[in-house]
């Protein structure tokens, strides 16, 4: 087990290195292909070529890609200095690069943004897991009834409506019309109530989409599990129905849901861009948009890495949990 | 579709009283009907089945897939009425008497408490019948503790004892193994241990050896025979394999199209079978003493649809002798069970002498 | 050209549907929010355009800005967005600045840190200023001429202080010999020879060649003082040391900013800034539609970007809250330009101009209110020398002149029309719509124009490269332009002076290189009298029209929100039709 974890973690590191190299390459190659120069975007519009060249040097864009790669990776462990124009900017370890757009360490920006995204994703996750799974279970147990149909139609709507639409609708109804939940995000360290109130609407909006998916998945899985022979065995043993459902059926039903849940969680941490944008939450998604729209390479690189790291680590955790739940899974 | 039950609106799942006298027999099934409403129509899986079974005796129910054997066994266990979420419920009528109690009209909770304690069941595929996420030992412990207020330790001791009894080596060690870590035969032994953990008086074994290797099959059958002697339970063994029944059964009941077509003492059904369908089954049975050059004789055609059971004798489309009785009676009139010997009944329109003649002259020599 | 901050990210794409939902949902009972949408107090549509709405001198309260676009930088020497220049006057002062007057009167320069607008030598090469007494930094120390010189010098350090305008550098040190203060070997880091500071009160600028707009350049925030011991170089924009009436209390990039009174600032030394609110806050949001709603609700006072109310809220504002809206001109012209390398024949270019349907182009831009007035020449109305009525191609009528278009085509030798390509930025929906409109009208005379949407983020490398333009055969380029400072030089020179043609980042897309025009610019630059210079710009504009390389669409207007709380509100031409932020108050 331990050897397995170590091996997997090693694979994670390798993967992140590859992601770094690919991201760097993309930003190394794009200017070459399109003829646009990231350095030129940093200087004013009347800038002369010498200034552009100086900025390019400071950004390290003049170096070969492998050198840039090495600087980035070593910066994570020992920090990094950006020198140019008589000014030296020190980026302390762990240095994930320095954003010349905002003149901040990227790690500072990440530390700032990460709790926002995490708060939003985890809150929503709790909500959708509870709502989605319970709806799915009820729907499965009431299959074919009006309750089942109503739940599944709602779920279909939830799955089909794009998040920006539900977000807009939620804001229109709750904020504009009812005047509720108007608060902006407040860190939990400042005020729990403010944090809760500010995030409630994003939670509900995001959870609506995912709860819908989870309800459908839970229902389908539950129905499949209820048809399993071992459920019949459990009944034949004389177990009361709540035990049959709550213990035997739920454990099997939760397995695939857990898998998806881990993946979703990992992907959302870096990818809840629409929700963050709609509710003006300054999280990782916002940083991603900002990075791309302003060609802020260090920022894009770091956000890409964080997202990739979250996804692969979530994968790893899911695999480990899977082994705990299902004794048939062997980690090797 | 003209179905008496639907038309009269008999309460679904509740028995229609056919005579309320408590039975002297240990297990007494009277005119059991189990119908399933589906989108395609009413499936009459069991359509008027009656039989009795005494304690310590074994009844073999034989028939092809879809003849209603398994539905009957689940019906006795009361498993058609629990966990049927959202589905249209099975329509069950008739009476099932077990040890002087009528089960179909009993409180479902009472039946639930009888399940696993007074009547237990062994299933065909022990791999899928055991929960993959729980250890074998714990599944047996669970079966024990639900009916006995004992602590885990006691229950574990009991489970290990039973694992030992069904022939699992190093039972204390294997207690913590998961089903997938057992071999097929071991799993079925564990399944039997689980069924027997509460000393049930009635044991229903639904195709207990079908999923197993031939050699393992023999071991399991031996085990069951020994256990029956030891526990003194009544056993219903359901199979499509006459060989299995030959090994174990005191009585045999042959089902076709949801009905009993022949029943009687094993000896008599084996050596003087009275129904063309039983002949077919015997003909398709591999026998060690049979001449190797002879081919098996399968029963031609397919089992009948249970939605549109052929009028007349359900077997008539496949029966090589359907035209022996004159006037097409096999196609218009359903044959009733009639005595054909000592406790031996069969449902066939052919006169008994004719059947005896065909069996002794045409069928038996070929077997 | 001001970098457009109209980036209404993903959210902007949100919702045509939302408009409908919003219109019906809100049609019922708009709540009578206490500060926001109540009719009382809102002085009416366009009340703040070229005149003062809600005049008041009462101090107090918090002025609440909201915005969907963060500054490029708050560093005085690094910001280039128009709203940043407007806002920076809260915490920076310059030698001279724009007069606190509505409309075109705002383009007049008045003394700020300097006691007067400077003594200019007869040859226009020497500018001498004396500082007022009592001007101080936020720690109470006096602002010296050396602080101003140091601040201006920072512009030379383009590798650190990048992104801002460098006009002063180009005028004072055209060969770029000075390397900036960070590489300066002089002990006081004041090695720039073109600026002299004989004492703490006097500053002298020595120009190698005259430039009549030099004062305009000194009015930009890029000419603000920076004190050497407070210069955090690249990070200065994260916490600027204030010389103005407000100082920084907190700032989190992309989230919020808060300014509070600088009690060391002395009102008596400042004739321009009213400094009415006790504090000023800025909140950044990523959802522009939500921002519009919050403005309407009264939660905030105005959009710091002032790029105009988004399409989903616009109807609601115009129908229900018109008294809270202003519809100023932004000083921008939206136009099509014809690279001469692709369409060398002037008659063919004239054919395009005649065939264009100005009315439908205006509609594509958003109509008279959200889009702007039809433009007929290339000088915006607020500038000296502008004549909005000059209409050599009869565009103000709105309809195309097909007869003249066909005549021009015949003269061009292509009576049946020709094929060409319209280049348009793919991230500007409105520009794409105008391109389609133009394509339609040209079809009527047989000009087949194919639309090529290029990556809007790569503008400088694509249409900014004459080679790429020629290779791709871009005969028509859809663009827009606004002046960095309100004169003919600021607006026209980068567009039409042949000496401004660059191989990358070019803005003279037509590649017009007319000796007469170039000569007129030289003449105008030497002219220190704005009115006389204006006459010269008028001549230049006429020649530009004659060259038939531009098809102006509109003098851009937008619809901006003015909360009922706001006092002393007026739009200033000096700030591209934005309100003069330094004058705003929130207490009546």
């Amino acid at each position: 087990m331990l050897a397995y974890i170590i091996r997997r973690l090693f694979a994670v590191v390798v993967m992140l290195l590859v992601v770094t190299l690919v991201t760097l390459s993309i930003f190394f190659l794009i200017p070459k292909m399109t003829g646009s120069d990231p350095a030129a975007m940093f200087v004013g519009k009347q800038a002369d070529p010498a200034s552009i060249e100086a900025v390019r040097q400071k950004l390290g864009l003049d170096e070969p890609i492998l050198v840039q790669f090495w600087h980035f990776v070593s910066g994570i462990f020992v920090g990094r200095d950006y020198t140019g124009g008589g000014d030296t900017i020190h980026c302390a370890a762990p240095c994930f690069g320095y954003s010349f757009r905002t003149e901040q360490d990227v790690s500072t920006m990440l530390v700032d943004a990460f709790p926002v995204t995490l708060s939003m994703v985890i809150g929503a996750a709790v909500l959708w897991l509870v709502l989605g799974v319970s709806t799915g279970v009820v729907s499965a147990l009431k299959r074919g009834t009006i309750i089942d149909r109503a739940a599944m139609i709602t779920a279909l709507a939830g799955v089909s409506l794009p998040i920006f639409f539900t977000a807009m609708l939620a804001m229109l109804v709750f904020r504009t019309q009812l005047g509720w939940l108007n608060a902006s995000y407040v860190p939990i360290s400042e005020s729990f109530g403010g944090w809760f109130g500010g995030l409630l609407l994003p939670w509900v909006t995001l959870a609506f989409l995912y709860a819908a998916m989870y309800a459908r998945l839970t229902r389908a899985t539950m129905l499949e599990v209820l048809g399993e022979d071992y459920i019949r065995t459990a009944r034949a043993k004389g177990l009361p129905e709540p035990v049959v459902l709550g213990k035997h059926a739920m454990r099997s039903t939760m397995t695939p849901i857990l898998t998806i849940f881990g993946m979703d969680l990992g992907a959302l941490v870096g990818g809840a861009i629409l929700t963050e944008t709609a509710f003006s939450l300054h999280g990782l998604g916002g940083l991603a948009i900002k990075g791309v729209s302003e060609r802020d390479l260090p920022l894009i690189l770091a956000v890409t890495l964080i997202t990739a790291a979250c996804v692969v680590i979530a994968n790893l955790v899911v695999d480990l949990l899977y082994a705990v739940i299902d004794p048939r899974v062997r980690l090797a | 579709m003209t179905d008496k039950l639907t038309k009269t609106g008999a309460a679904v799942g509740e028995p229609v009283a056919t005579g309320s006298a408590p039975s002297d027999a240990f297990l007494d099934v009277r005119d059991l009907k189990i119908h399933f409403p589906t989108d395609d129509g009413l499936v009459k899986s069991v359509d008027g089945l009656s039989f009795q079974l005494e304690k310590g005796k074994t009844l073999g129910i034989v028939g092809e897939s879809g003849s209603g054997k398994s539905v009957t066994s689940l019906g006795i266990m009361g498993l058609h009425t629990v966990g049927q979420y959202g589905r249209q419920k099975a329509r069950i009528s008739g009476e099932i008497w077990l040890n002087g109690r009528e089960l179909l009209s009993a409180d479902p909770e009472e039946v639930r408490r009888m399940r696993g304690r007074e009547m237990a069941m062994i299933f065909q595929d022990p791999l899928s019948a055991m929960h993959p996420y729980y250890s074998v030992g714990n599944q047996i412990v669970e079966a024990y503790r639900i009916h006995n207020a004992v602590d885990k330790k006691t229950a574990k001791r009991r489970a290990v004892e039973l694992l030992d009894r069904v022939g699992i080596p190093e039972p204390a060690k294997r207690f913590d193994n998961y089903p997938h870590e057992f071999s097929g035969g071991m799993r079925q032994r564990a399944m039997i241990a689980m069924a027997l953990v509460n000393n049930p008086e009635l044991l229903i074994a639904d195709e207990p050896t079908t999923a197993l290797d031939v050699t393992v099959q023999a071991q399991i059958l031996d085990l069951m025979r020994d256990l029956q002697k030891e526990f003194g339970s009544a056993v219903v063994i359901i199979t499509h394999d006459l060989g299995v029944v030959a090994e174990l059964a005191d009585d045999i009941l042959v089902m076709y199209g949801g009905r009993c077509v022949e029943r009687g003492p094993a000896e008599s059904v084996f050596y003087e079978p009275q129904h063309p369908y039983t002949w077919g089954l015997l003909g398709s049975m591999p026998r060690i003493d049979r001449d190797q050059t002879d081919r098996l004789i399968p029963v031609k055609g397919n089992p009948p649809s249970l939605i549109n059971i052929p009028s007349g004798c359900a077997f008539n489309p496949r029966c090589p002798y359907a035209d022996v009785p004159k006037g097409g009676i096999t196609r218009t009139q359903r044959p009733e069970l009639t005595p054909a010997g000592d406790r031996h009944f069969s449902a066939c329109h052919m006169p008994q002498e004719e059947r005896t003649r065909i069996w002794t002259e045409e069928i038996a020599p070929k077997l | 050209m001001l970098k457009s901050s109209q980036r209404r990210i993903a959210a902007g794409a949100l919702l045509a549907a939302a408009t409908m939902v919003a219109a019906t949902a809100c049609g019922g009972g708009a709540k009578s929010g206490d500060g926001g949408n109540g009719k009382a107090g809102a002085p009416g549509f366009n009340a703040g355009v070229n005149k003062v709405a809600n005049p008041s001198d009462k101090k107090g309260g918090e002025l609440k800005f909201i915005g969907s676009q963060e500054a490029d930088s708050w560093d005085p020497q690094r910001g280039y967005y128009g709203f940043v220049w407007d806002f920076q006057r809260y915490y920076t002062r310059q030698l001279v600045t724009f007069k606190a007057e509505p409309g075109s009167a705002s383009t007049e320069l008045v003394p700020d840190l300097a006691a007067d607008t400077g003594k200019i030598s007869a040859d226009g090469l020497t500018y001498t200023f004396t500082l007022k007494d009592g001007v101080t930094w936020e720690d109470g120390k006096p602002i010296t001429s050396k602080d101003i010189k140091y601040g201006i010098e920072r512009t030379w350090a383009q590798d650190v202080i990048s992104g801002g305008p460098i006009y002063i550098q180009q005028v004072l040190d055209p060969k770029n010999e000075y390397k900036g203060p960070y590489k300066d070997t002089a002990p006081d880091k004041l090695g720039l020879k073109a600026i002299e500071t004989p004492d703490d009160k006097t500053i002298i600028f020595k120009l190698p060649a005259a430039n009549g707009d030099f004062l305009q350049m000194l009015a930009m925030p890029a000419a603000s003082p920076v004190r050497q011991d407070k210069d955090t170089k690249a990070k200065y924009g994260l916490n600027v040391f204030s010389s103005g009436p407000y100082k920084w209390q907190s700032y989190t990039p992309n989230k919020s900013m808060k300014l509070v009174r600088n009690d060391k600032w002395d009102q008596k030394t400042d004739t321009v800034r009213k400094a009415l609110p006790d504090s000023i806050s800025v909140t950044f949001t990523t959802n522009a539609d939500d921002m519009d709603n919050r403005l309407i609700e009264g939660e905030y006072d105005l959009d710091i970007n002032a790029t105009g109310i988004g399409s989903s809220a616009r109807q609601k504002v115009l129908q229900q809250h018109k008294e809270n809206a202003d519809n100023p001109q932004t000083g921008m012209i939206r136009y099509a330009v014809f690279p001469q390398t692709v369409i060398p024949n002037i008659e063919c270019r004239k054919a395009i101009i005649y065939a264009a349907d100005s009315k439908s182009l205006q509609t594509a831009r958003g109509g008279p209110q959200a889009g702007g007035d039809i433009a007929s020449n290339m000088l915006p109305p607020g500038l000296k020398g502008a004549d909005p009525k000059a209409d050599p191609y009869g565009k103000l009528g709105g309809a195309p002149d097909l007869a003249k278009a066909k005549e021009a085509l015949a003269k061009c030798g292509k009576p049946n029309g020709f094929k060409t390509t319209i280049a348009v930025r793919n991230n500007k929906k409105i520009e794409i719509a105008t391109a389609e409109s133009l394509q339609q009208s040209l079809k009527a005379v047989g000009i087949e124009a194919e639309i090529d949407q290029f990556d809007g983020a790569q503008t400088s490398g694509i249409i900014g490269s004459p080679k790429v333009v020629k290779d791709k055969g871009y005969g028509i380029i859809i663009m827009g332009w606004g002046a960095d400072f309100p004169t003919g030089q600021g607006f026209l020179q980068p567009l039409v002076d042949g000496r401004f043609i660059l191989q990358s980042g070019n803005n003279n897309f037509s590649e017009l290189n007319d000796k007469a025009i170039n000569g007129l610019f030289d003449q105008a630059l030497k002219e220190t009298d704005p009115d006389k210079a204006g006459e010269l710009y008028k001549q230049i504009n006429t020649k530009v029209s004659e060259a038939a390389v531009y098809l102006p669409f509109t003098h851009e207007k937008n619809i901006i929100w003015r909360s009922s709380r706001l006092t002393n509100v007026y739009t200033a031409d000096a700030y591209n039709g934005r309100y003069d932020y330094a004058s705003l108050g929130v207490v009546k």
Side-chain angles (χ1 to χ4, degrees), chain C residues 382-406:
Chain C
L383 304 189
K384 293 262 193 287
D387 178 8
K389 295 202 178 69
D391 186 14
Y393 298 98
K395 301 318 289 177
L396 289 179
D401 188 339
L402 297 182
K404 281 201 172 147
K406 281 184 180 143

Side-chain angles (χ1 to χ4, degrees), chain C residues 27 141 160 179 221 227 295 307 324 430 453 500:
Chain C
K141 290 189 183 164
V160 179
K179 290 301 162 212
R227 208 165 78 192
L295 283 168
T307 40
N324 283 103
I430 293 179
Q453 301 187 15
F500 278 64

Side-chain angles (χ1 to χ4, degrees), chain B residues 78-99:
Chain B
L79 290 176
H80 289 305
T81 47
V82 291
Q84 307 302 307
Y85 299 106
R87 262 171 267 181
Q88 283 181 285
K89 293 223 164 71
R91 297 172 183 175
I92 306 175
S93 66
E95 290 171 21
I96 300 172
W97 292 88
L98 181 70
N99 225 352

Side-chain angles (χ1 to χ4, degrees), chain A residues 96 106-115 284 287 299 302-303 306:
Chain A
F96 284 93
V106 170
S107 47
T108 311
M109 301 170 79
L110 293 178
V111 165
D112 220 32
F114 200 66
L284 288 179
L287 286 189
L299 187 56
V303 173
I306 289 276

Side-chain angles (χ1 to χ4, degrees), chain C residues 98 113 141 199 276 305 316 321 361 371 481 534 537 546 570:
Chain C
F98 294 105
L113 287 172
K141 290 189 183 164
D199 58 56
L276 296 178
N305 307 132
K316 182 181 173 187
H321 308 285
L361 288 165
W481 186 257
Y537 291 127
E546 284 165 3
Y570 58 86

Side-chain angles (χ1 to χ4, degrees), chain B residues 38-108:
Chain B
T38 69
D39 291 343
D40 297 325
L42 195 67
V43 176
K44 299 179 180 175
S45 293
V46 178
D47 198 28
L49 182 70
S50 303
F51 64 86
Q52 296 183 336
L53 180 63
E54 293 305 332
K55 257 184 136 171
K57 295 287 182 190
T58 300
L59 170 70
I61 301 182
V62 191
E64 292 165 297
S65 332
S67 60
K69 317 180 296 270
S70 294
V71 173
T72 305
S73 63
L74 294 174
I76 296 169
M77 293 290 290
L79 290 176
H80 289 305
T81 47
V82 291
Q84 307 302 307
Y85 299 106
R87 262 171 267 181
Q88 283 181 285
K89 293 223 164 71
R91 297 172 183 175
I92 306 175
S93 66
E95 290 171 21
I96 300 172
W97 292 88
L98 181 70
N99 225 352
R101 247 178 305 177
E102 206 290 304
L103 299 183
L104 292 182
S105 58
D107 174 16

Side-chain angles (χ1 to χ4, degrees), chain B residues 252-269:
Chain B
I252 290 178
L253 188 153
V254 182
M255 280 190 84
Y256 187 83
R259 291 176 68 86
C260 172
V261 293
E262 178 160 17
R263 83 167 189 248
E267 294 252 315
S268 144
V269 173

